[in-house]
Amino acid sequence: MQVKLKVRRYNPEAENPVAYQQEFTAEVEAYSSVLDALMYLREYVDDSLAVRCSCRGAICGSCGVRINGQATLACKTKVVSVAPHGETITVEPMGNMPVLKDLVTDMKPFWDKVRQVTPWLQPEGLEPEGEYVVPPESMTHLNGVMGCIMCGVCVSDCTALEVDSNFIGPAALAKAYRFAADPRDGESQERLRALNEYGGIWDCTRCMECVEVCPKGVAPMDRIMALREKAMAAGFTNTYGARHAEAFSDSVKEGGRLDETMLAIRTIGFFNVPKLLSMAPVALRALVHRKLPMPSPFHAPIPDVHQVQRIFGRLEKKL
Amino acid sequence: MADYDVLVVGAGLAGMRAALAAQERGAKVAVLSKVHPVRSHSNAAQGGINAALTDRGDDWQDHGYETVKGSDYLGDQDAIEVLAQEAGREIIALEHMGVIFSRGEDGRLGTRRFGGQQRARTFFVSDFTGQAMLHVMFEQVLRAGVEVLDEWFVTSLVVEEGRCAGVVAIELRTGKLHLLRAKAVIIATGGLGRVFEPSTNGLICTGDGMSLAYRAGVPLMDMEMVQYHPTTLKGNGLLMTEAARGEGAYLLNSKGERFMERYAPTMKELASRDVVSRAEQTEINEGRGVDGCVFLDCRHLGKKFILERLHQVYEEGKAFANVDITEQPIPIRPGMHYQMGGIKTDVDGRCWDMKKRWRGVPGLFAAGEAACVSLHGGNRLGANSLLDTVVFGRRAGHCAAEYASQEPLKTVSQARLAHEEERIHALLSRNSSGDSVAKIRLEMGQSMNEHLAVFRNQEGMETALRKVRELRQRYDRVGVRDRGRIFNMGLVFALELGAMLDCAEAITVGALERKESRGAHFRTDMPERDDEHWLKHVLVYHTLEGPPRIDTLPVTITRWQPQKRVY
């Protein structure tokens, strides 16, 4: 069968090196992947079409691209699933990283961030003669995050990275979790401390995009949330992020709903006057656009607030 | 021009293990690969890694014997002894590096069963053991600060005064050619699956390193020994791990029979891979298959168990065959998977013989699937390949570092670089003959898969050899459309195809030479093993003109005398 593709091309050596869309038709089988279609183009139509690929089985992590606007592995995406009625499939390079040629992106920023989380096991004390004896479920638990193939798909579609390139990003933070949650690692306290810094775990906006696009079910955002919990449990409570989380839950616990004004003030800190003042214009703009309720000193609790508090009580007992 | 003590070509498990070992011994090291290290094909090893740990009552001699028997007595027993003896400490070293091996209830390393072995001695991480090891090995490379040249492609080895002196390589990102001098070079470029179509192997498995060494003067050994894995998917040839059978899955024919009971009454589905693949092919050929396939049945293992221990193949079945293995048997067939043969080395990875029984190139080393020590002989046991990469990667790294410490850097004339520049330029400016790299590759792959598969015969192999030689002539006229320098993948494919054609010829010539059936090399016209004449290795040397030169070498036998092989 035939499939139509619109591929974003970029040749840095062209006289006028600008990106453009090129339309192709590829000959594929009913079970073919988008990668098979790209391979067909490269092999029989234009051998200058640059795309990384190898295993064809979603294991090597080479072929991350954007298909119809969303990052994914080309090998894991069936042609019929994205173009069931012969629609044209759009293929573009991944986002949040520079493009080197056609669908090939520069992964250096990606790897630099992985490096930032000290990505190797740092065992405590002397090595045992045999293996480390650890609970079997602690290793099985890490299967999920070790399943990460470092394809960059989550980084491509991370909405926080889009506005702040300093953010370590979902893949590297998932990698950090892999060590922080490994009972053999002796440096989790230091790891968690470092992850509290600007660009770390508190900069995730919880948009879920990484969970959505990850081709391996790694769920990076869930790992980031688990890191936040670990960091707070380890005593790192004096950060904007931790205070925000605490203020959030206290507000709901006390009144059964969120008091946005107090949330902002408690996150920043009552005595951090300069920072509070600097927030005033934002607060005013939010008020004008009705993104914030009128601040009220009497933020009355909802009726039946005791029901909410009962839920909190149960949760706290469970933890 | 950059200078190194040890330059490792290939950054899979064997390459990175070698680089770490060489650096540990004080050498200035770089590891170079045509892809980023974590994209390497070691990723695809699913089931596990073998080791006989004495503290749990296992014996390395049992592992050694079963490897020898698996090899159909073609493996060199001195090398197999090293493999089996050093396995235990290598597993522990990997665990200490951070590999998250599955545990038993007591929190210690757990094992599963694998083919060709009576005992459960395969350590594993669910069914993505290779990936879990590869990523940890890369972590160690980062920790040690080993220099990594990723996305560099070696076009030739530099040999000066009969010794390896470095490589010429393209930096793919810029397209620039570089001369990298090194006192020792280790080739760890993996396998050659793409010589066959289909294959379980990734698109990068093109036998580059084998061809480099071969052209530099090192013989390729036992290249006729090509493993067909019993359980590969029909459409794209992807691998379904042997661990499925290790954990108890059945093979069924179209009548629903567990046919392995007839071929291997004791070991059944867990007989060695060559035996199982031949049995499957026989079932298919005799009309008891469906659509060229038999079935792998996992249903009785239970959904929970499958999701924990066979998660990747569960996902793979869904994504690539549209089959939920917890509910349905999945159609599979034998498919090209592994090259037992490769660059001839000794037990320390040297590509030259201290006793001068065979000719090689001092200063050149090899490890992993690219090499042939020989551990796997006529047939590799499942879960011995990961072990091979770490044990012999480490040994090659240590030996190369030691060699480099006593060797001066050789003077290499810039003319070497200019000569390669000219060759690449000629290829890029050649007008296309209308033929294409892809067409030639496909014809080669299909011909090899037709005539050098599970069952072979004289006529078929001769047809394949004629085909390969015809394709070589067509290859010499093929052009590359992309005239750019940056990420010119068309150029890389053309160079890879050259390497694959070298390998295809060596495989075919080796197979025609071996006039018996042994391990994976089964000739319907000579179905018996002939220890009297063929208990020996076949060596293929490259010649500048004319066909390759063939030689043989006796098999090293230490403690296990050849016996009839029954499973």
Side-chain angles (χ1 to χ4, degrees):
Chain A
M1 63 183 244
Q2 289 195 330
V3 57
K4 281 181 283 183
L5 296 120
K6 199 193 281 177
V7 183
R8 193 171 167 87
R9 306 292 307 267
Y10 168 69
N11 176 8
E13 293 170 282
E15 262 176 51
N16 181 21
V18 287
Y20 62 99
Q21 307 273 7
Q22 189 174 1
E23 295 205 23
F24 292 104
T25 305
E27 199 63 52
V28 295
E29 306 286 341
Y31 57 78
S32 291
S33 65
V34 173
L35 180 65
D36 291 326
L38 292 170
M39 287 297 90
Y40 175 89
L41 298 180
R42 191 166 82 170
E43 295 193 331
Y44 297 104
V45 180
D46 182 356
D47 70 13
S48 74
L49 176 62
V51 54
R52 290 189 182 103
C53 55
S54 176
C55 77
R56 307 163 291 139
I59 297 169
C60 76
S62 304
C63 67
V65 292
R66 269 184 176 159
I67 294 175
N68 293 342
Q70 196 172 49
T72 185
L73 294 177
C75 71
K76 213 191 171 189
T77 310
K78 288 268 181 63
V79 163
V80 288
S81 72
V82 281
H85 311 292
E87 296 91 334
T88 300
I89 303 171
T90 311
V91 187
E92 298 161 296
M94 288 193 287
N96 283 331
M97 39 192 119
V99 177
L100 296 174
K101 181 178 177 181
D102 298 335
L103 302 172
V104 174
T105 54
D106 185 358
M107 294 287 283
K108 189 176 178 295
F110 176 94
W111 290 111
D112 285 347
K113 291 199 168 150
V114 171
R115 219 175 263 258
Q116 229 176 303
V117 303
T118 322
W120 51 82
L121 193 72
Q122 296 172 283
E124 209 172 9
L126 283 175
E127 279 183 350
E129 202 169 298
E131 72 270 42
Y132 288 92
V133 177
V134 294
E137 53 287 352
S138 68
M139 291 288 114
T140 318
H141 171 68
L142 290 176
N143 280 354
V145 71
M146 256 333 268
C148 173
I149 54 176
M150 298 277 154
C151 60
V153 159
C154 60
V155 165
S156 162
D157 286 15
C158 171
T159 53
L161 258 175
E162 211 174 296
V163 291
D164 183 1
S165 62
N166 192 56
F167 181 40
I168 295 175
L173 287 173
K175 184 85 172 169
Y177 176 78
R178 172 251 176 286
F179 297 105
D182 192 323
R184 298 169 298 179
D185 196 86
E187 291 296 319
S188 44
Q189 192 74 10
E190 170 52 27
R191 289 180 191 277
L192 292 168
R193 191 203 56 73
L195 291 171
N196 273 299
E197 308 271 324
Y198 167 47
I201 47 178
W202 297 104
D203 285 19
C204 165
T205 60
R206 302 208 294 179
C207 72
M208 293 284 284
E209 203 61 44
C210 58
V211 180
E212 184 99 346
V213 297
C214 173
K216 300 298 282 188
V218 173
M221 192 198 85
D222 296 353
R223 313 297 173 174
I224 300 172
M225 293 312 121
L227 282 170
R228 287 182 180 179
E229 274 172 31
K230 272 185 186 295
M232 288 175 72
F236 298 106
T237 47
N238 195 21
T239 60
Y240 287 135
R243 283 199 302 270
H244 182 84
E246 269 174 355
F248 203 109
S249 95
D250 286 352
S251 167
V252 176
K253 191 176 163 186
E254 282 156 21
R257 64 177 162 193
L258 194 59
D259 180 347
E260 272 108 339
T261 315
M262 281 309 287
L263 181 69
I265 295 171
R266 281 192 55 187
T267 300
I268 290 162
F270 286 102
F271 305 108
N272 192 351
V273 181
K275 179 76 180 175
L276 281 174
L277 285 175
S278 77
M279 292 298 285
V282 180
L284 279 173
R285 275 207 306 280
L287 270 174
V288 170
H289 289 93
R290 302 198 187 169
K291 294 280 182 191
L292 205 66
M294 281 304 281
S296 156
F298 311 105
H299 202 76
I302 58 163
D304 296 333
V305 66
H306 64 279
Q307 298 280 22
V308 176
Q309 282 158 358
R310 203 166 52 85
I311 296 172
F312 268 90
R314 277 203 178 180
L315 267 174
E316 277 158 12
K317 226 186 273 166
K318 234 177 134 185
L319 292 173
Chain B
M1 187 162 66
D3 296 336
Y4 301 97
D5 293 328
V6 177
L7 179 65
V8 185
V9 183
L13 278 170
M16 288 199 281
R17 188 69 193 88
L20 285 165
Q23 176 141 323
E24 190 182 289
R25 291 281 160 97
K28 184 183 179 220
V29 182
V31 55
L32 173 158
S33 169
K34 65 180 174 181
V35 292
H36 185 279
V38 306
R39 313 292 177 222
S40 305
H41 198 65
S42 306
N43 261 331
Q46 295 173 338
I49 173 167
N50 289 330
L53 293 195
T54 44
D55 64 346
R56 36 215 91 167
D58 203 352
D59 185 343
W60 72 264
Q61 294 199 46
D62 291 344
H63 180 201
Y65 165 68
E66 283 172 337
T67 302
V68 169
K69 180 181 173 186
S71 81
D72 217 349
Y73 296 89
L74 186 63
D76 283 322
Q77 297 183 6
D78 55 340
I80 291 171
E81 286 185 12
V82 168
L83 180 84
Q85 283 178 7
E86 295 188 1
R89 75 171 161 120
E90 206 62 42
I91 297 291
I92 298 300
L94 288 165
E95 199 277 335
H96 289 173
M97 286 178 191
V99 177
I100 53 159
F101 284 117
S102 290
R103 312 276 160 161
E105 286 306 317
D106 58 356
R108 304 192 61 195
L109 300 182
T111 51
R112 65 162 42 127
R113 279 199 69 192
F114 240 63
Q117 303 180 79
Q118 298 284 356
R119 214 189 143 97
R121 67 165 66 91
T122 303
F123 297 88
F124 63 99
V125 181
S126 185
D127 61 348
F128 64 101
T129 315
Q131 181 195 320
M133 283 172 59
L134 183 74
H135 282 249
V136 167
M137 199 65 77
F138 181 59
E139 290 164 14
Q140 295 300 306
V141 161
L142 291 177
R143 184 184 64 82
V146 174
E147 184 177 349
V148 179
L149 302 171
D150 61 316
E151 304 194 312
W152 285 56
F153 184 86
V154 173
T155 66
S156 67
L157 295 177
V158 178
V159 179
E160 290 286 350
E161 296 156 26
R163 288 173 176 250
C164 187
V167 307
V168 176
I170 310 174
E171 182 184 12
L172 297 178
R173 195 176 164 148
T174 60
K176 279 205 190 83
L177 228 61
H178 298 262
L179 175 64
L180 305 173
R181 285 200 304 175
K183 295 174 183 172
V185 172
I186 304 176
I187 293 189
T189 50
L192 50 66
R194 297 292 291 166
V195 169
F196 289 73
E197 178 67 38
S199 159
T200 62
N201 289 193
L203 305 176
I204 56 173
C205 301
T206 52
D208 311 331
M210 295 183 197
S211 164
L212 289 171
Y214 179 57
R215 288 187 171 254
V218 185
L220 298 179
M221 186 165 92
D222 298 338
M223 291 294 278
E224 67 280 13
M225 296 304 180
V226 177
Q227 181 165 78
Y228 271 64
H229 193 287
T231 52
T232 72
L233 290 183
K234 191 180 178 215
N236 50 17
L238 288 180
L239 174 69
M240 301 293 280
T241 178
E242 182 168 301
R245 283 171 289 136
E247 301 284 13
Y250 304 141
L251 290 172
L252 304 177
N253 62 16
S254 62
K255 296 175 171 170
E257 284 175 332
R258 271 183 81 186
F259 57 87
M260 282 311 299
E261 289 171 346
R262 282 186 273 120
Y263 297 87
T266 315
M267 299 286 275
K268 301 186 184 73
E269 281 87 354
L270 288 179
S272 66
R273 287 178 176 174
D274 58 328
V275 172
V276 180
S277 284
R278 269 196 296 280
E280 289 178 358
Q281 197 59 51
T282 306
E283 292 297 302
I284 295 164
N285 292 353
E286 292 178 359
R288 291 185 295 277
V290 173
D291 215 5
C293 290
V294 288
F295 297 95
L296 177 70
D297 188 358
C298 301
R299 291 173 296 179
H300 56 286
L301 301 178
K303 187 159 187 162
K304 183 174 175 284
F305 184 86
I306 290 173
L307 290 184
E308 186 182 317
R309 303 251 247 184
L310 300 168
H311 187 81
Q312 187 162 295
V313 293
Y314 166 77
E315 291 281 338
E316 210 178 295
K318 273 203 308 186
F320 299 102
N322 208 17
V323 172
D324 179 344
I325 60 168
T326 64
E327 289 179 0
Q328 275 176 285
I330 188 164
I332 48 85
R333 63 180 182 186
M336 190 282 172
H337 180 57
Y338 187 86
Q339 170 58 272
M340 268 76 71
I343 306 162
K344 172 65 186 148
T345 71
D346 68 8
V347 291
D348 289 307
R350 293 182 196 92
C351 296
W352 73 99
D353 188 19
M354 314 283 268
K355 294 183 196 146
K356 311 239 169 170
R357 291 166 306 171
W358 48 279
R359 220 184 53 207
V361 178
L364 189 64
F365 296 77
E369 190 174 347
C372 182
V373 187
S374 130
L375 303 166
H376 313 302
N379 171 72
R380 174 175 67 77
L381 290 189
N384 264 357
S385 59
L386 285 180
L387 182 60
D388 174 4
T389 64
V390 287
V391 169
F392 287 88
R394 170 175 49 74
R395 292 177 68 94
H398 282 161
C399 189
E402 195 184 310
Y403 173 91
S405 70
Q406 293 156 11
E407 242 342 88
L409 261 178
K410 281 159 257 337
T411 319
V412 180
S413 109
Q414 284 294 321
R416 294 261 176 197
L417 188 59
H419 178 258
E420 278 298 278
E421 276 282 3
E422 222 166 89
R423 187 168 76 96
I424 302 297
H425 183 74
L427 183 56
L428 282 179
S429 50
R430 191 191 292 163
N431 281 324
S432 178
S433 56
D435 213 345
S436 83
V437 167
K439 267 189 223 153
I440 297 174
R441 215 260 337 146
L442 189 63
E443 284 181 40
M444 170 187 65
Q446 288 173 341
S447 177
M448 295 296 282
N449 197 46
E450 189 180 343
H451 301 299
L452 284 121
V454 176
F455 294 115
R456 303 168 171 181
N457 63 53
Q458 184 76 18
E459 196 192 328
M461 294 188 287
E462 280 172 358
T463 309
L465 184 59
R466 273 195 306 276
K467 184 74 186 176
V468 169
R469 290 187 171 151
E470 170 215 315
L471 293 173
R472 165 66 68 182
Q473 289 181 352
R474 281 168 55 190
Y475 171 71
D476 289 337
R477 295 192 300 272
V478 85
V480 176
R481 201 182 124 161
D482 189 350
R483 297 284 154 99
R485 277 280 167 155
I486 295 173
F487 270 102
N488 189 331
M489 299 313 283
L491 171 66
V492 173
F493 295 146
L495 294 169
E496 287 174 339
L497 180 58
M500 286 190 272
L501 286 164
D502 283 346
C503 294
E505 184 173 28
I507 291 166
T508 318
V509 166
L512 280 162
E513 183 68 16
R514 186 173 289 282
K515 304 214 169 28
E516 62 156 356
S517 287
R518 182 184 299 273
H521 177 67
F522 192 94
R523 297 181 58 143
T524 50
D525 50 353
M526 295 174 191
E528 297 301 320
R529 194 174 87 191
D530 177 3
D531 286 343
E532 196 188 325
H533 300 101
W534 288 103
L535 189 59
K536 55 189 179 187
H537 301 292
V538 174
L539 273 62
V540 183
Y541 288 91
H542 181 255
T543 58
L544 280 177
E545 273 162 54
R549 185 171 70 80
I550 301 222
D551 201 357
T552 60
L553 200 64
V555 173
T556 307
I557 290 176
T558 57
R559 60 177 81 202
W560 297 290
Q561 290 305 316
Q563 290 167 16
K564 192 168 160 47
R565 191 161 163 257
V566 184
Y567 282 104

